[in-house]
Amino acid sequence: MPTTNEIVRDALIAARRDRSLVETASLPVPTSVGEGLAVQAAISGRLGLSEAGWKVAIAEDGTPVAGLMPGPYLQPGDVYEGSIGAELRVEIELGLRLARDVPFRPAQPYSRAELLSYCDKAFLGIEIVEGRLANWAGQVAFPLWLADALGHGGYFIGPDLDIKVLDDLTGLGCFISLNGVTIYDKPAVHGNGDPMAPFLAWANRKTDFMTGLRAGQVVTTGSLCGGVLSPGKGEIVTKLSPLGTVSLTLR
C-alpha cells in the first residue's frame, strides 16, 4: 500500500498538472515538518519545477521551513489566472534577490549582516497564495500545508527598495483594495518581528531537505499583512506606504 507521503505527493502532483483542487479532508497528513518538506521536495523533483525563489518561514516549533516558488513571476499590471474554485489570498512582502550562492554550512551559522551581504537588492513583492487544497478556509495541518509549498501560487515583483527597509518597519502601512473597495488597511507587521528572522533561520538550517540558496533566486521574507482573502476577482491595488504600489488583476 502507498505510504502517507506517497498519497499526498501523488494527489498534489495531479492537482498541479490539472490545475484542480484536492479536498483537504481526503488527504492524510505527513507526520512532521520534516516529512512535509520531504513531500514538497519529491513533488518539485517529479514536476521539474524551476528553483527560482523561496518563501521562508519559521514553524510553531521553531523549525525553519521554506516553500519553493517556481512562479509564475509577474510584473505590476499583469493578470494572475487562478484555478476554478481556488481561494486567493494577497500578501504584501519584502523580497530579496541573491547575488551569490549561500552555501549550506550548519556548523558555521550566518549572521544577519553576512546574509544580507549575499543580496544585491530588496523589492516590494506581492505573493498570491493559492494552495491546491480545497475548503481549507485558512486552516490546515502545517505539515500538509508545507507539502503544498506553503500555498505558493504566483509572485509579483514590484519596485526596488532600499535594503535598509528591512531594519525598521515603523511607519509603514499595508493597503489592499479590490475593484476600488478597500479590503485591508493596517500598519505593516511581520509575524517574527524582524523580516530577516525566517531567512536567517532557513540559511542556518541543520538539515538540507531542499536544494540550496543560489545566485539569482529571490527570497520573500514573509507577509506584512497576513494572508488577505480576496472576496472576488478583479483589479487589485496593493500599497506598502509610503514606499511603493503594485497593481494587478485576479482572474
Side-chain angles (χ1 to χ4, degrees):
M1 293 182 62
T3 65
T4 290
N5 286 7
E6 290 169 342
I7 292 170
V8 173
R9 178 199 67 196
D10 293 346
L12 292 178
I13 285 175
R16 285 175 179 261
R17 285 175 170 162
D18 300 341
R19 289 182 56 80
S20 60
L21 303 177
V22 183
E23 284 292 335
T24 305
S26 72
L27 290 177
V29 176
T31 57
S32 67
V33 166
E35 291 298 296
L37 281 169
V39 174
Q40 184 191 153
I43 292 169
S44 301
R46 288 283 185 96
L47 292 176
L49 299 179
S50 170
E51 296 172 359
W54 301 94
K55 56 184 299 185
V56 291
I58 300 175
E60 287 187 357
D61 66 358
T63 303
V65 296
L68 180 64
M69 299 201 309
Y73 284 86
L74 303 165
Q75 298 300 312
D78 285 350
V79 175
Y80 180 84
E81 297 275 359
S83 299
I84 295 175
E87 294 181 354
L88 302 181
R89 284 171 165 75
V90 180
E91 297 186 352
I92 299 173
E93 304 175 338
L94 297 172
L96 291 162
R97 188 180 69 189
L98 294 175
R100 297 181 286 150
D101 292 356
V102 181
F104 176 60
R105 55 177 214 199
Q108 184 184 356
Y110 291 95
S111 69
R112 187 183 191 278
E114 184 184 13
L115 187 57
L116 276 172
S117 75
Y118 282 79
C119 305
D120 65 355
K121 79 168 186 176
F123 56 87
L124 170 57
I126 306 300
E127 185 182 14
I128 306 301
V129 175
E130 180 191 354
R132 269 53 59 176
L133 303 172
N135 300 317
W136 64 283
Q139 299 294 323
V140 63
F142 189 74
L144 183 57
W145 189 237
L146 186 55
D148 194 26
L150 299 170
H152 173 67
Y155 204 78
F156 288 81
I157 294 182
D160 290 354
L161 302 174
D162 188 325
I163 207 164
K164 292 181 180 178
V165 71
L166 286 104
D167 295 338
D168 186 5
L169 303 178
T170 304
L172 300 182
C174 293
F175 171 89
I176 305 172
S177 67
L178 171 66
N179 297 324
V181 177
T182 299
I183 60 175
Y184 190 90
D185 189 5
K186 294 182 181 180
V189 177
H190 192 278
N192 301 109
D194 178 6
M196 281 296 292
F199 186 18
L200 188 61
W202 179 251
N204 290 329
R205 64 201 181 280
K206 302 302 182 184
T207 305
D208 201 16
F209 285 97
M210 310 290 283
T211 55
L213 294 160
R214 306 297 183 205
Q217 292 177 339
V218 301
V219 178
T220 180
T221 60
S223 180
L224 301 177
C225 62
V228 179
L229 178 65
S230 177
K233 304 291 181 67
E235 305 305 311
I236 292 278
V237 175
T238 65
K239 298 178 182 178
L240 181 60
S241 301
L243 301 179
T245 298
V246 174
S247 299
L248 57 105
T249 299
L250 298 180
R251 187 165 62 200

